[in-house]
Amino acid sequence: MAARAAIAVLGAFAAANTIAAPVASAAPKCSDIEVAFARGTDEPAGIGVVGQAFVDTLRPMVKGSTVSTYAVKYPATWHFWKAAAGATDLSKRIQATAARCPDTKIVMGGYSQGAAVVDVVATSPIAGLGYTAPLPAAVVPHIAAVVVFGNPSARIGQPLTRMSPVFGSRTADLCAPNDPVCSLGRDFHSHVRYPESGLVKLAAQWVTRHAQAPAASPTVRR
């Protein structure tokens, strides 16, 4: 499967993910919007720098709505096959949130290896290769939008917008110019500059449209 094969792509670019991350804030019992975000390789536990920049940008755009965060629990180490553990944790969180807070609009997000985590959840309807908690069909409508940054699947020609017939139209799969993790570019610095690239703002605008209006929006490809 392309989503899982793409995890191996990260091995060639491990040195690119060296930025530090603040810890995600505790989620209230039920919020209007919950952002479940998987950090990049070697970032400390939390939603990561890119995830935090995304949430900070999103909050003022969804005025009147409460926004909580959930940091996906997984090693985020150089052992990329362990991303499956993150996919299991992300899926279980989404299922629990949908059951406990049915009116909450869920946003799946991830950066770099975290994007590969999201890929597995969004494209794997059955368990396998360490992924043990596929999303039930009944939970899918609770996910308002998906945002991924520096997605390694895009480097092998399989962005999430193309891989997932279920979530493709709800997904912003964003790749900075010349980012070697998600494109054939060679600018390693671009991979750690998503907060400054303008793509975080674009992702927040994408989520705002989906979270505040039920109508489908055009697929975003970068």
Side-chain angles (χ1 to χ4, degrees):
M1 176 177 292
R4 294 169 185 173
I7 294 172
V9 175
L10 288 159
F13 308 104
N17 282 329
T18 57
I19 52 180
V23 176
S25 59
K29 183 177 181 182
C30 282
S31 58
D32 297 317
I33 299 169
E34 178 170 288
V35 177
F37 202 94
R39 70 197 189 279
T41 305
D42 213 28
E43 290 190 280
I47 62 173
V49 168
V50 176
Q52 192 64 55
F54 166 66
V55 171
D56 290 345
T57 304
L58 175 65
R59 280 196 169 109
M61 291 186 182
V62 289
K63 295 178 181 179
S65 297
T66 56
V67 180
S68 62
T69 62
Y70 176 76
V72 175
K73 296 177 177 63
Y74 81 114
T77 63
W78 311 135
H79 303 295
F80 301 118
W81 60 88
K82 293 186 178 181
T88 296
D89 183 72
L90 174 57
S91 181
K92 286 182 176 179
R93 174 64 182 193
I94 290 170
Q95 293 177 51
T97 299
R100 185 182 68 252
C101 304
D103 294 328
T104 295
K105 294 184 178 180
I106 300 169
V107 177
M108 284 199 299
Y111 160 64
S112 195
Q113 186 179 173
V117 167
V118 173
D119 286 348
V120 174
V121 176
T123 64
S124 303
I126 60 174
L129 298 177
Y131 177 50
T132 63
L135 285 176
V139 174
V140 170
H142 292 270
I143 300 172
V146 182
V147 291
V148 286
F149 305 87
N151 186 0
S153 288
R155 191 175 193 274
I156 58 174
Q158 295 292 329
L160 189 50
T161 48
R162 183 178 302 164
M163 287 196 301
S164 176
V166 175
F167 294 105
S169 63
R170 297 178 231 178
T171 298
D173 193 322
L174 302 168
C175 183
N178 298 314
D179 178 351
V181 173
C182 53
S183 76
L184 298 179
R186 298 183 179 181
D187 182 4
F188 287 89
H189 293 293
S190 68
H191 188 63
V192 296
R193 292 177 179 166
Y194 278 90
E196 300 83 25
S197 69
L199 295 180
V200 164
K201 181 178 180 180
L202 182 61
Q205 291 171 334
W206 173 261
V207 169
T208 298
R209 290 197 299 271
H210 280 73
Q212 294 188 331
S217 299
T219 298
V220 170
R221 289 188 175 91
R222 282 292 184 272

